[in-house]
Amino acid sequence: MEALSRLLRALRQRLWSGPGAPWPRPPARGCSGGSDYRELCARAAREPGPFWGALARQTLLWDTPHHTDCEGDFARGRVRWFLGGRLNVAANCLDRHAQHSPNRVALIWEKDEPGTEERVTYRELLEMTCRLANTLKKNGIKKGDRVAIYMPVCPLAVAAMLACARIGAVHTVVFAGFSGESLAGRISDAECKAVITCNQGVRGGRVIELKKTVDEAVENCPSVKCVFVAQRTANKVHMGSRDILLEEEMAKEASVCPPEIMDSEDMLFMLYTSGSTGKPKGIVHSQAGYLLYVALTHKHVFDYKQGDVFGCVADIGWITGHSYIVYGPLCNGGTTVLFESTPIYPDPGRYWETVQRLRINQFYCAPTALRLLLKHGDEYVKKYDRSSLTALGSVGEPINREAWQWFYSVVGEERCTLVDTWWQTETGGICVAPRPSEKGAEIVPAIAMRPFYGITPVLMDEKGKVIEDNNVSGALCIAQPWPGMARTIYGDHQRFIEAYFKTYPGYYFTGDGAYRTEEGYYQITGRMDDVLNISGHRLGTAEIEDAMDEHPAVPETAVVGYPHDIKGEGAFAFIVLRDDTAHPEIVSKEVKAIVASKIAKYAVPDHILVVKRLPKTRSGKIMRRLLRGIVTGNICDLGDITTLDDPSVITEILDTYEKYKAQHPTL
Ligand code: WTA
């Protein structure tokens, strides 16, 4: 209670300046950041500690202010921000706004059926969060415990995240499209004590059996003591001994719950993401640095103003949902849309009908959806009023020129700022985007362009040396720590160091390649490792191969990416059969089913080609580079093949591929 009254005291004394004015001069509309972009960038690079330290004091509501801005470096792979500082993230996102503007709308839940949206005010969201927090506490969840959230996009999912933050528990949201086995893997790795889910989900008019999937998942997860089940539909589902009806329990609880005061560096959440090797890794984000970074990027990249309706149509199961549906907008006291449906339900006009009905000001989506929608023609866009829009954003994968132009011209009527934002689960928030910038500065189509304040991108050459010139490509690294960056991989700090800080000692390596233009702008060229980006979702080729290898008739597999019209990238699998008697078509079908059940439907390869053998080095390593060359049509440029065990394998696979291609003209 003492902590709560201290927080309230701080609120009354208005020790925080609110989300209004973290920068020295308020930016002009349409060009966030104002004319001092260069100066702020220079200051942030020169003195990152004091730069972010001052912003942290101004932007966030603290129980105890921090005494040390930043500690650690990339050389050791350990960085900590705002040491000595104590705060509660949920109090920052809810209490301070609920106190001043209780009736301001925090969430607009755009439910699957158009026209059935529901609004949740800050007071209501605070109350919902407190009741949920008290329910967790009553069931034995304490500070530091991990809680899995497997829910569709809905207010209770946001309340669940914030309830964890309120009591100091660590949430791990698992995208509700992942299979039971994927969910189980994450629950086991994180040793979650509880799971929060819904009886069913509804998406694109279809019912999704969420509780059933959770039942399958927790069967082999002894750490799970209870499963909280919210009711998204009126249908009854099986309830077992550890299952608890969430809303019923919440109704019995008090609507007030004192926030647990956390250290800046305590864990806020973890989110599993794919790497180039092994199982998905639990990327850990901490409290203060993450919150500060997402609030500031949300405000300055999109030029978000009080009263705007922010429409990020991602799923909360990905980092985009965490940072720009939940934490960034709510920390800024904004109104944020929760989009439960799909871009084509009930028809391909859904996004723009939603923009018109909810009067959305900033609209943030993935290029894969744009590529799909532009194929349906402009009429679906033009019949709706989009005059509320001021900014458009793109995220998750490279945006091709055609999609950029369509978004800018047709959707945005050439009057909205279009920001192509580059970032990663690991970076916490947007790192490179056209805005903020100097006033009136140009935007180059389909280029992410400028670093955010305090982000210091560098390109590395093949020898690991920093490239100083412009007009060059290299491995994209970041030279200095920033508050929003991930702190570790849950339970495996060594893997964190190896994945991000070993390749280029002293630098954070993103895994992406980039091109720096003549003017010094950054264009992301794509992953340099064995990570695929399918419809903006990350997937390791090794993950898919591991799943396919489970088929008893398939001793060897190799997965590579190939360009896909809509998805950006698709998975192409090569498999070898154990013996000639196995029927290729049946095996392919079974392999696809295995991938869907072990990972998720979107991970299923579009194509599976049976080959006699795979190209290998003399030491037995599969040369995926050659397979990629074949499916991307770059056979003239296969590079060094001197290490190949038997070069005739290339013509052999190429022949098989050509025959397959003749039967699949879309390839
Ligand atoms: C890719 C998503 C090009 C990139 C926020 C990165 C992009 C990976 C862009 C991270 C962009 C993200 N242009 N590529 N604007 N944004 N990427 O962790 O390869 O799901 O490394 O985070 O997506 O994916 P993640």
Side-chain angles (χ1 to χ4, degrees):
M1 269 330 265
E2 220 229 306
L4 176 66
S5 43
R6 244 186 299 160
L7 258 180
L8 288 173
R9 238 184 354 257
L11 270 170
R12 278 194 291 271
Q13 292 168 357
R14 299 203 193 183
L15 285 180
W16 50 284
S17 71
W23 306 116
R25 260 178 281 161
R29 183 156 209 131
C31 181
S32 189
S35 55
D36 37 22
Y37 169 76
R38 263 169 212 270
E39 191 219 308
L40 286 171
C41 278
R43 201 191 319 155
R46 206 170 47 238
E47 297 184 308
F51 178 85
W52 291 111
L55 286 168
R57 275 187 289 274
Q58 286 170 36
T59 310
L60 302 180
L61 165 68
W62 294 91
D63 172 79
T64 312
H66 69 273
H67 53 66
T68 304
D69 294 324
C70 181
E71 209 179 74
D73 52 49
F74 287 164
R76 280 174 292 163
R78 193 177 283 281
V79 174
R80 304 190 300 160
W81 285 88
F82 313 132
L83 289 111
R86 289 164 63 73
L87 81 177
N88 182 277
V89 165
N92 271 272
C93 290
L94 297 175
D95 303 45
R96 57 177 175 167
H97 312 307
Q99 201 193 27
H100 286 271
S101 320
N103 297 323
R104 185 189 299 163
V105 175
L107 311 175
I108 308 179
W109 183 21
E110 173 64 10
K111 294 164 81 171
D112 195 46
E113 278 314 315
T116 60
E117 74 270 15
E118 288 176 22
R119 289 176 165 76
V120 181
T121 65
Y122 271 94
R123 185 174 45 80
E124 289 164 341
L125 185 57
L126 173 60
E127 189 178 316
M128 200 190 291
T129 301
C130 286
R131 286 183 189 277
L132 214 161
N134 286 330
T135 307
L136 293 176
K137 281 211 295 207
K138 185 185 237 157
N139 286 280
I141 310 297
K142 325 178 288 299
K143 179 176 174 176
D145 287 342
R146 275 82 55 211
V147 175
I149 299 176
Y150 188 73
M151 291 176 106
V153 181
C154 62
L156 268 175
V158 177
M161 293 164 77
L162 293 169
C164 289
R166 194 160 194 92
I167 66 171
V170 177
H171 61 71
T172 177
V173 182
V174 179
F175 171 56
F178 276 118
S179 67
E181 219 174 305
S182 284
L183 175 62
R186 286 153 169 83
I187 291 174
S188 302
D189 186 74
E191 293 170 292
C192 294
K193 222 169 164 180
V195 182
I196 309 177
T197 189
C198 285
N199 60 338
Q200 295 176 315
V202 187
R203 199 156 178 264
R206 291 204 345 251
V207 168
I208 306 156
E209 299 293 345
L210 298 178
K211 170 65 165 53
K212 244 189 214 157
T213 308
V214 172
D215 285 346
E216 271 168 48
V218 298
E219 214 167 276
N220 299 314
C221 296
S223 64
V224 174
K225 302 293 175 249
C226 41
V227 175
F228 299 96
V229 186
Q231 306 301 302
R232 172 60 185 90
T233 66
N235 300 328
K236 286 224 153 38
V237 291
H238 168 75
M239 295 290 285
S241 57
R242 57 183 157 184
D243 301 337
I244 296 167
L245 288 169
L246 183 62
E247 289 98 328
E248 259 181 34
E249 287 304 300
M250 281 169 66
K252 294 182 203 152
E253 293 298 327
S255 59
V256 175
C257 171
E260 184 79 36
I261 301 306
M262 308 293 286
D263 286 342
S264 294
E265 281 296 320
D266 281 336
M267 226 192 279
L268 174 61
F269 67 84
M270 55 178 144
L271 190 57
Y272 284 83
T273 193
S274 299
S276 52
T277 54
K279 287 199 181 117
K281 40 198 176 184
I283 299 293
V284 172
H285 282 286
S286 58
Q287 313 265 333
Y290 170 80
L291 189 65
L292 176 70
Y293 193 73
V294 296
L296 293 177
T297 46
H298 170 249
K299 183 171 161 47
H300 292 279
V301 172
F302 298 98
D303 195 21
Y304 185 83
K305 298 269 195 300
Q306 201 59 255
D308 284 350
V309 175
F310 191 77
C312 169
V313 290
D315 193 285
I316 47 150
W318 311 110
I319 191 70
T320 306
H322 283 60
S323 301
Y324 300 108
I325 296 177
V326 182
Y327 288 113
L330 294 180
C331 185
N332 286 334
T335 298
T336 180
V337 174
L338 307 177
F339 185 77
E340 188 183 39
S341 195
T342 81
I344 50 166
Y345 183 76
D347 64 44
R350 178 58 185 271
Y351 277 171
W352 326 118
E353 188 270 328
T354 304
V355 165
Q356 169 182 290
R357 185 161 32 80
L358 306 185
R359 304 289 302 158
I360 289 173
N361 302 105
Q362 292 89 2
F363 186 82
Y364 195 27
C365 69
T368 188
L370 298 172
R371 286 190 296 264
L372 175 70
L373 296 180
L374 72 81
K375 286 203 188 309
H376 290 276
D378 301 354
E379 270 320 294
Y380 281 112
V381 185
K382 288 186 173 157
K383 67 180 181 192
Y384 299 108
D385 174 16
R386 284 118 44 232
S387 58
S388 58
L389 290 173
T390 60
L392 304 170
S394 156
V395 59
E397 46 171 330
I399 181 167
N400 50 310
R401 251 176 181 275
E402 189 192 7
W404 195 99
Q405 277 303 344
W406 186 78
F407 203 17
Y408 180 70
S409 308
V410 180
V411 176
E413 298 169 312
E414 297 189 5
R415 54 172 187 78
C416 301
T417 308
L418 201 174
V419 285
D420 171 15
T421 62
W422 174 86
W423 57 295
Q424 312 175 292
T425 305
E426 295 87 338
T427 67
I430 296 165
C431 287
V432 183
R435 297 284 189 258
S437 64
E438 286 159 315
K439 206 174 171 117
E442 65 167 349
I443 290 185
V444 180
I447 295 197
M449 300 185 74
R450 302 175 176 88
F452 192 72
Y453 305 113
I455 300 296
T456 46
V458 290
L459 298 182
M460 297 289 181
D461 68 14
E462 278 166 6
K463 295 193 185 111
K465 272 187 61 193
V466 175
I467 310 173
E468 303 286 351
D469 300 338
N470 284 353
N471 245 331
V472 283
S473 295
L476 179 64
C477 294
I478 300 177
Q480 279 183 6
W482 67 101
M485 59 177 279
R487 300 299 193 259
T488 190
I489 289 173
Y490 185 73
D492 199 349
H493 193 69
Q494 197 50 37
R495 187 174 174 198
F496 185 65
I497 292 173
E498 263 149 41
Y500 305 108
F501 304 103
K502 267 266 160 76
T503 324
Y504 303 100
Y507 294 86
Y508 165 77
F509 176 43
T510 64
D512 280 312
Y515 173 74
R516 191 164 49 222
T517 67
E518 188 67 55
E519 298 79 15
Y521 300 144
Y522 289 89
Q523 177 170 28
I524 311 303
T525 48
R527 299 290 308 190
M528 299 179 76
D529 51 13
D530 288 319
V531 172
L532 305 181
N533 194 326
I534 299 179
S535 307
H537 303 325
R538 261 165 83 164
L539 264 175
T541 50
E543 251 176 280
I544 308 177
E545 288 167 7
D546 285 350
M548 297 199 305
D549 287 346
E550 303 253 324
H551 194 292
V554 181
E556 274 189 325
T557 60
V559 172
V560 294
Y562 75 101
H564 187 287
D565 249 17
I566 306 282
K567 302 187 203 180
E569 195 169 29
F572 196 113
F574 293 85
I575 63 173
V576 175
L577 297 183
R578 196 173 296 283
D579 61 59
D580 292 344
T581 56
H583 195 289
E585 256 171 49
I586 295 174
V587 173
S588 296
K589 248 197 194 147
E590 288 168 352
V591 162
K592 285 184 178 185
I594 292 178
V595 176
S597 83
K598 290 197 100 51
I599 309 177
K601 281 203 187 104
Y602 77 89
V604 174
D606 301 316
H607 300 281
I608 296 185
L609 185 61
V610 177
V611 290
K612 287 207 183 73
R613 52 195 177 134
L614 295 170
K616 289 190 185 163
T617 60
R618 276 187 283 278
S619 56
K621 243 181 114 191
I622 296 172
M623 294 180 81
R624 287 184 186 72
R625 177 170 60 80
L626 303 183
L627 297 172
R628 210 174 301 127
I630 290 173
V631 299
T632 54
N634 292 325
I635 37 167
C636 302
D637 186 24
L638 291 181
D640 181 16
I641 54 165
T642 50
T643 54
L644 196 57
D645 182 35
D646 175 4
S648 71
V649 69
I650 298 202
T651 42
E652 187 182 297
I653 295 176
L654 201 54
D655 280 350
T656 318
Y657 176 76
E658 291 298 339
K659 276 188 207 130
Y660 180 82
K661 201 175 161 194
Q663 293 158 8
H664 297 83
T666 51
L667 249 178

